[in-house]
Amino acid sequence: MKTMKKVMMALFIVCACAIIAPNGIANSNPSEVSAATKKLSKKQQHKLYASTMKKYAVKVKESVSDPELYGDYDFSRYRVMYVFADIDKNGTDELIMRYRDPASGKYTGISTGYGENTSIYTIRNGKVRTVKEGSNWSPYCHDYYVRVYKGSKYIDFGFAHGYLDYAFSKFSKGYLSKKTVYSLTSYVSYETNKTVYYINNKKVSKNAFNKKYNALTNSTSKKKNKGYLMKIYK
């Protein structure tokens, strides 16, 4: 009887081990193993964006197709542009798209704020997710900037109207922070007629302002970061 109990106990332990670690990796998270085995290559990521790129191109052009609203607006030099860039350096390329004259808007770190139509997409769990949608737009609307700087995890959604205004949100692990992390503003004071500088509503020196701006945009005192160079979409 004792021998039979020992045999039964041994079988139970073997079965339990097979259930807990069927792949031979003890204490492994099945979802992590699955994610690791299904990691997409850059080529696969870009292919996954194909339908999103097509939809953006169609929608952004349809949004300005009304001749009664935009009959006098010249879109002849406008082009749908795109670039793949790993903004948060997590191994997944984001897709940045924009509809603008390449002569003035082919870099993601440069934007006018008028008729802003920059869209940003990422991939999470094997599916394309929207970070920022801008395909439905009006060229007459004074919108928030969307500026993405090469080598920086911060995206600028500032709104300038007569003075410098930067509102940086952080993009990390495929997600954009819901709130502004850093707000930078400078303007000429009516009282002193001198330029004043603020970071998160706190008055700072010009040097402190420029130092923070350069850090957030991955720029230097001698060269501002223009962002990623976009390509023309077919």
Side-chain angles (χ1 to χ4, degrees), residues 110-130:
I110 300 175
S111 181
T112 64
Y114 283 93
E116 180 61 67
N117 53 53
T118 303
S119 287
I120 305 172
Y121 308 93
T122 190
I123 297 173
R124 293 195 300 269
N125 300 322
K127 294 183 179 181
V128 176
R129 310 288 183 177
T130 301

Side-chain angles (χ1 to χ4, degrees), residues 39-40 42 44-53 83-97 119-133 148 155 170-177:
K39 187 173 180 63
L40 299 172
K42 295 291 185 178
Q44 290 173 319
Q45 292 172 22
H46 299 173
K47 187 176 181 180
L48 195 60
Y49 282 124
S51 61
T52 300
M53 297 172 76
V83 66
F84 298 114
D86 186 359
I87 300 174
D88 55 358
K89 305 302 178 186
N90 69 340
T92 298
D93 275 358
E94 276 67 50
L95 166 65
I96 306 171
M97 299 200 74
S119 287
I120 305 172
Y121 308 93
T122 190
I123 297 173
R124 293 195 300 269
N125 300 322
K127 294 183 179 181
V128 176
R129 310 288 183 177
T130 301
V131 177
K132 195 275 177 185
E133 174 61 46
V148 184
I155 301 175
K170 188 174 183 179
F171 186 72
S172 178
K173 297 181 180 179
Y175 290 90
L176 187 68
S177 59

